[in-house]
Amino acid sequence: MKAMDEDAVKVLIIDDEEDIREGCRRSLSRGECEVLTAADGAEGLSVLEAESPRVVFLDLKMPGMDGMEVLAMIRETAPACLVIIMTGFATVESAIMAMKNGAYDFIAKPFEPEQIRLVAGRALAHIRVVRRAEELKRERERTLADLGTEQSRVAAILESLPNGVVVTNAFGMVVLMNSVFQRLFAGGVPLTGQDHISRYIDNADFCLWINSISTGVFMTDGKIPSCELQVPGNGFFLARGQHVLSAEGECLGAVVTLTDITDLKTFDQMKSEFVSKVSHELRSPLTAICEQLSMVDEEAGDAMGEENRGMVRRARDKTGALISLIGDLLDLQRIEGGAEFSQPREVEPAGLLSAMVDFLRARAQAQGVSLELALPPESLPILYADPTALESIYGNLITNAIKYTGSGGHVTVTVSVPDAGGLRVAVTDDGFGIEKKHLEKIFDKFYRIKDDKRRFIVGTGLGLSIVRQLVDGLAGAIEVTSQPGVGSTFTVTLPAKNQVAAEDA
Ligand code: ADP
């Protein structure tokens, strides 16, 4: 016997004429059907119950239970089953009646094998369409269920985060928030999708920052800065943001997390206070020790003998290094606290730089280094800054250039006015130079390069970090180019007074 295809459709032929049954079996068995037969209505109904065929060919005129009755029973017990009426020409009307009673199709007797195959083919096509529709429906239901699970999973994750999360659209309107954000920032304002972030957080800098992310301003820069936020009554928060991108890479809005950093801030404050207190306490006695060691060196040095004098001088130098470390630490505290270096006024840069270079020339000469200032012929723009900050910036760079250039070297301070305005000061030396791997790190606090040439050079590793913070505070920029064994150039560009005023306006 031919093995049946798993998807074979069961077709039942109910007819009292054996020739018809066999004829149908022969015609249909070749296709995708498994053919079952029954000689009368009662047998047909029991096969129907046992085998659940999808299609029934039903003779109307049969002894015993007639076709109409069988049709009615099938419609009742197996409504999905397609019933095709087989009828002689004389009973076309009853065939029509059968159609009205729910038969799917009919075929007039006598028929050719081709004809019954055609009718069966129509029924099978119908079954395939119904099956496909059922599959699609199941698939849709499954996808919807998956989507529902996914959404509730994402919502659960958002809700379980300890941080506030808020999502804005490309116009800065809040479209999603978790309960932490709701509790901390939203107060009574409900989520409508129509309210700008400024309705929830009343902080101009933060709103500007989130607007910039929402509109994709940072997309070209690659790196999105974080933003600190002080919320009255709720402490300090660190906001980090990302663009929300479409599949095409277009910016649709921003997703922002807010982390409570109040404890960190308090700790930082305590640390700063501690460092500043200890530094102040140490500075006076250390200065006294240093001065006294200098006096001993000067006044009793000759009588001490070379060895003792060397010890006194080393002690004096080490104490001097400690004093400058304390000075740097105090400068850093002031900058970070934002209290000092913040008394800006008009500064004429040529005068300030000339005075500084003259002052530092003695130090350069003591180390066998020449120090020159190259001013341009045109007049320089007036700066608007705290002069102490400017002295610290240029002083640190020139002192470094002198320190890290061996005897016989040259340091030049070149001043120019860039096309975009402002003032550019480049401090160039032909000293030790800096390897590429150190270039990024030299601006970090306490970072010092350790190699044979620098082993005996005293420093704190704080100078350049102070310079960078001061330059940032003045909305300027600092760049460094360097080649080991050839020299370095540190370039600081600061805005002129008229540019600062224009930005503030
Ligand atoms: P410090 O000079 O106290 O060590 P800085 O922060 O001023 O600290 O500088 C960090 C490091 O960068 C220095 O230790 C030094 O090795 C290197 N450096 C700074 N300026 C120069 C320069 N002009 N030439 C070579 N190296 C430099």
Side-chain angles (χ1 to χ4, degrees), residues 328 396-397 400-405 429 431-434 442-444 447-450 454 458-465 482 487-488 490:
D328 283 353
N396 265 302
L397 294 181
N400 274 353
I402 297 169
K403 271 199 315 191
Y404 301 108
T405 298
D429 64 62
F432 307 157
I434 304 163
I442 52 173
F443 293 96
D444 293 349
Y447 190 84
R448 304 203 70 216
I449 303 169
K450 291 187 183 104
R454 295 170 224 243
V458 183
T460 59
L462 288 173
L464 288 179
S465 102
S482 187
S488 316
F490 285 78

Side-chain angles (χ1 to χ4, degrees), residues 181 185 197-204 206-207 229 231 258:
F181 183 89
F185 305 103
I197 184 71
S198 50
R199 184 129 194 248
Y200 298 92
I201 296 185
D202 181 19
N203 181 308
F206 175 80
C207 293
L229 174 72
V231 183
L258 290 127

Side-chain angles (χ1 to χ4, degrees), residues 139-383:
E139 218 166 84
R140 220 183 91 236
E141 280 167 0
R142 205 176 45 238
T143 321
L144 282 177
D146 286 352
L147 208 69
T149 320
E150 192 57 40
Q151 277 175 352
S152 54
R153 198 178 300 157
V154 172
I157 292 171
L158 268 186
E159 286 311 308
S160 60
L161 285 175
N163 302 340
V165 179
V166 63
V167 180
T168 55
N169 65 13
F171 305 102
M173 306 288 185
V174 175
V175 290
L176 188 77
M177 61 171 85
N178 71 352
S179 52
V180 177
F181 183 89
Q182 172 91 43
R183 179 165 44 81
L184 290 173
F185 305 103
V189 184
L191 178 67
T192 59
Q194 305 293 321
D195 287 310
H196 192 259
I197 184 71
S198 50
R199 184 129 194 248
Y200 298 92
I201 296 185
D202 181 19
N203 181 308
D205 286 344
F206 175 80
C207 293
L208 192 70
W209 172 80
I210 208 169
N211 254 351
S212 306
I213 305 176
S214 305
T215 48
V217 167
F218 299 112
M219 276 171 76
T220 41
D221 298 5
K223 201 171 166 213
I224 302 176
S226 51
C227 175
E228 248 182 64
L229 174 72
Q230 186 177 6
V231 183
N234 263 332
F236 292 88
F237 288 82
L238 178 69
R240 287 205 179 88
Q242 264 304 335
H243 305 291
V244 178
L245 299 179
S246 70
E248 289 76 36
E250 181 194 350
C251 186
L252 302 176
V255 55
V256 168
T257 60
L258 290 127
T259 313
D260 189 341
I261 53 163
T262 314
D263 289 348
L264 274 177
K265 277 270 176 195
T266 316
F267 180 68
D268 211 46
Q269 174 82 16
M270 281 163 62
K271 196 184 75 189
S272 298
E273 280 167 15
F274 174 76
V275 171
S276 134
K277 199 167 172 37
V278 170
S279 305
H280 276 297
E281 293 294 324
L282 285 175
R283 190 155 61 171
S284 313
L286 278 173
T287 312
I289 293 170
C290 194
E291 277 164 9
Q292 280 161 19
L293 285 169
S294 293
M295 267 171 59
V296 172
D297 177 36
E298 275 165 29
E299 287 174 20
D302 293 338
M304 276 193 297
E306 268 317 295
E307 203 178 322
N308 287 343
R309 191 170 198 179
M311 275 166 52
V312 170
R313 282 186 173 173
R314 277 200 297 283
R316 180 201 59 196
D317 291 348
K318 293 276 176 206
T319 320
L322 272 178
I323 294 168
S324 79
L325 170 65
I326 286 169
D328 283 353
L329 280 174
L330 286 172
D331 277 356
L332 262 186
Q333 298 304 322
R334 287 185 200 133
I335 297 168
E336 286 171 1
E340 293 280 329
F341 299 118
S342 56
Q343 288 162 340
R345 57 185 166 87
E346 289 185 5
V347 178
E348 194 273 297
L352 180 120
L353 282 163
S354 302
M356 289 190 69
V357 166
D358 287 345
F359 175 74
L360 289 167
R361 191 168 284 119
R363 184 171 177 169
Q365 276 164 0
Q367 281 192 228
V369 174
S370 73
L371 174 61
E372 297 307 328
L373 173 67
L375 288 168
E378 74 258 33
S379 64
L380 298 176
I382 298 292
L383 300 179

